Amino acid sequence: MYGDTVKLQSRQAAARAAETSPGTPSPARIEKDLKVELFDNVANSAGWQSGVASIDSVTLCNENDEPFTTFAGGEHVVLKIRATAHDPLTSPLIGFFVKDRLGQSLFGEHTYTYIQPPMEVDGGTGLEASFRFTLPLLPNGEYSMTVSIAEGDPYTNTQHAWLHDAVLIRVASPTLRYGLVGIPFEEVTMVRTREPQRMGEEP
């Protein structure tokens, strides 16, 4: 899967970026008989953390940036992964992939491809990665999403937080579907959500 654009900036800058975001995408082809349910499982997710960075939350929103847990399929959506850098990072990399019940990866993306030059952040910085794409029409079944934050690039990196099954997905449709999924991303961004507090500064 390939995204059209990806950005990386602070969470405070997210609001400013929204004011200059690209125009409205073409109308989504929504399949009303398809039901996609999402369940936040971050608190119960297995995985590991190095202590250098952590995943805070994973949210899927509609094209108006409103959080939703039930979709019809075919909508324009925004996946938002929030994380915190507890120590300085020279090249933070946030990504995800969706897998089926057999553990087979179906699609995913990361921010590195789109954020050049790599962002450098101080310890205490909050980050938000946003992936804008069209929700695929998946075959019926159970799916899950793995999310992570690393430092480096796709070939040489250190994983600082890796969460298996951070989001659980259930798909039910009267229409049978076959095969794997490959979809284009319309936009991917990553922003700082807060700056670290300096000694002596007012909170």
Side-chain angles (χ1 to χ4, degrees), residues 49 51-56 83-89 122-125 194:
Q49 297 188 67
V52 173
S54 59
I55 299 293
D56 300 328
T84 296
H86 303 294
D87 291 344
L89 298 175
D122 293 328
T125 300
R194 65 177 179 277

Side-chain angles (χ1 to χ4, degrees), residues 38-42 58-59 79 143-147 164-169:
L38 295 100
F39 306 91
D40 184 349
N41 194 50
V42 169
V58 182
T59 307
L79 175 66
Y143 301 85
S144 65
M145 183 184 299
T146 294
V147 300
H164 296 287
D165 306 332
V167 175
L168 304 179
I169 305 168

Side-chain angles (χ1 to χ4, degrees), residues 10-12 122-126 192-198 201:
S10 68
R11 287 185 200 162
Q12 289 92 336
D122 293 328
T125 300
R192 290 184 179 85
T193 56
R194 65 177 179 277
E195 299 295 340
Q197 184 176 344
R198 310 295 183 183
E201 289 183 350

Side-chain angles (χ1 to χ4, degrees), residues 21 23-28 30 60-68 71 74-78 132-133 186:
S21 60
T24 303
S26 58
I30 299 174
L60 192 65
C61 302
N62 62 17
E63 58 186 334
N64 297 318
D65 281 346
E66 300 167 331
F68 270 72
F71 293 82
E75 298 102 325
H76 297 300
V77 297
V78 183
R132 188 177 300 271
F133 59 100
E186 294 156 10

